[in-house]
Amino acid sequence: MVSSVVETKLSDWKFLGHSVHSLSIIPEAHKTKTDEEKGPAILLIHGFGASTTHWRYNLPVLGKKYEVHALDLLGFGKSSKPSGLAYGGPLWKDQIVAYVKEKIGRPTILVGNSLGGYAALASGAAMGPEAAGVVLLNAAGYFSEDKKTTKGTWATARKTVAGIFLKNALLQRIIFENLRQPSTIKRTLNQVYIDTSNVDDELVEAIRKPSLDKGAFNVFKSVFDPAGPQGKPLDELFSQLKAPLLLLWGNRDPWMNAPGKRATYKKHTPTNTKEVVLDAGHCPHDEVPDQVNSALLEWINQL
């Protein structure tokens, strides 16, 4: 699926001594251009349980004009899944910042979906002028106002049930084993894609196979541990962000109230933020890739 006009490379880069899987595409024309003539590089960052494969319809298109990279966050895809790491936003932010510095070496546009969207925003806020732009596709994360203490019997009951789950290794294992079954993966994807045409065996296998790796279960537990590192709230990151911001919304996302989320974003995002609303679910880059590629390229060309 990669265009013949681009060159695709696998990377053997490591972060904190752990192997990180990544792909890069360099347009042939870039070999004779200066960095200024090339324009910004692009780094694609997947969501929870996904990998570089989730950018299968974006990499070859973006790579025709721009240097484009995609990586597997530690704990996912073909990257290492070591025990002992505190999996969460701070770890992945540091991984992304290091990758841009060591592997790309020039201003980069960070593009992230879901969990990867939060990581892209946190990285962009930390990188200052080295972040040429940030693009969020149905990004995960919380606002400061979401953390206000909720009182009442129901809130206490939910907290108690969650605590029991987090302390019960058997329950955790049962849920994990169910989540990585091909039938469960496909059913979940069919729920979060409005148009399920691209929910195919390749995508299901790309999610299932890494879940069989040693350490995958520990990653699952760590990510959902409320005592783990959550990173800064979105409003704080937006206030620190200096780079241009593009919001690409799958407006029929069943995992989040996208219209409501958009309203909250508007209260905190910079005034020059560009917003594009798409008739899609949680993963618009894979569900309606032509629309996402077009919107992304148009925005980059105007920077």
Side-chain angles (χ1 to χ4, degrees):
M1 184 165 287
V2 176
S3 169
S4 60
V5 301
V6 297
E7 178 182 358
T8 306
K9 294 182 179 179
L10 293 171
S11 171
D12 59 355
W13 183 71
K14 290 188 177 183
F15 177 64
L16 300 179
H18 305 297
S19 176
V20 172
H21 172 76
S22 67
L23 301 173
S24 63
I25 299 178
I26 313 294
E28 185 68 27
H30 276 205
K31 294 181 178 180
T32 59
K33 290 183 177 181
T34 65
D35 281 353
E36 186 172 322
E37 292 172 328
K38 294 174 185 176
I42 302 171
L43 176 59
L44 306 175
I45 307 160
H46 64 82
F48 178 79
S51 65
T52 55
T53 301
H54 216 188
W55 302 103
R56 53 189 173 164
Y57 300 129
N58 315 106
L59 274 161
V61 175
L62 301 175
K64 290 180 180 179
K65 184 174 181 179
Y66 295 99
E67 174 183 345
V68 58
H69 298 248
L71 56 70
D72 288 344
L73 298 171
L74 283 175
F76 298 109
K78 296 179 181 178
S79 287
S80 296
K81 302 167 183 64
S83 60
L85 286 184
Y87 291 97
L91 171 68
W92 297 317
K93 177 205 69 176
D94 291 345
Q95 178 187 346
I96 292 164
V97 171
Y99 185 91
V100 172
K101 180 179 180 180
E102 298 176 22
K103 293 293 293 183
I104 300 178
R106 59 194 182 87
T108 300
I109 294 172
L110 306 172
V111 183
N113 169 237
S114 191
L115 175 150
Y118 177 84
L121 176 60
S123 302
M127 286 168 54
E130 291 307 303
V134 172
V135 182
L136 306 182
L137 298 100
N138 294 50
Y142 67 97
F143 289 92
S144 296
E145 58 201 69
D146 299 331
K147 282 293 186 178
K148 293 178 180 178
T149 303
T150 303
K151 298 180 180 180
T153 304
W154 175 238
T156 302
R158 284 188 299 173
K159 185 176 181 180
T160 301
V161 171
I164 293 172
F165 163 73
L166 291 166
K167 294 177 181 178
N168 192 312
L170 178 58
L171 281 176
Q172 292 173 339
R173 191 78 206 193
I174 290 173
I175 292 173
F176 176 72
E177 292 296 336
N178 178 63
L179 288 175
R180 66 178 179 177
Q181 294 301 312
S183 59
T184 303
I185 294 171
K186 189 165 188 176
R187 183 168 60 252
T188 301
L189 290 170
N190 283 331
Q191 291 172 350
V192 300
Y193 282 53
I194 304 306
D195 180 349
T196 59
S197 301
N198 289 337
V199 177
D200 53 22
D201 291 341
E202 178 188 31
L203 182 57
V204 171
E205 184 64 10
I207 295 173
R208 185 195 71 86
K209 192 172 181 179
S211 73
L212 304 178
D213 292 347
K214 181 180 179 180
F217 177 54
N218 288 329
V219 174
F220 169 77
K221 291 195 298 181
S222 178
V223 168
F224 287 101
D225 185 351
Q230 295 185 346
K232 298 177 181 179
L234 293 171
D235 46 298
E236 186 174 335
L237 294 174
F238 283 134
S239 69
Q240 296 172 355
L241 183 68
K242 304 302 180 184
L245 178 64
L246 171 63
L247 304 177
L248 293 175
W249 288 105
N251 208 39
R252 295 171 64 189
D253 184 347
W255 279 354
M256 66 169 64
N257 174 16
K261 201 80 168 180
R262 285 172 50 211
T264 307
Y265 268 58
K266 287 179 181 179
K267 294 192 298 183
H268 299 287
T269 50
T271 55
N272 63 342
T273 298
K274 171 74 172 179
E275 183 185 54
V276 176
V277 180
L278 305 167
D279 185 29
H282 190 64
C283 308
H285 58 292
D286 190 62
E287 183 182 342
V288 288
D290 291 345
Q291 295 178 46
V292 169
N293 292 336
S294 177
L296 184 54
L297 288 170
E298 179 181 353
W299 180 73
I300 295 175
N301 291 339
Q302 293 175 351
L303 291 179

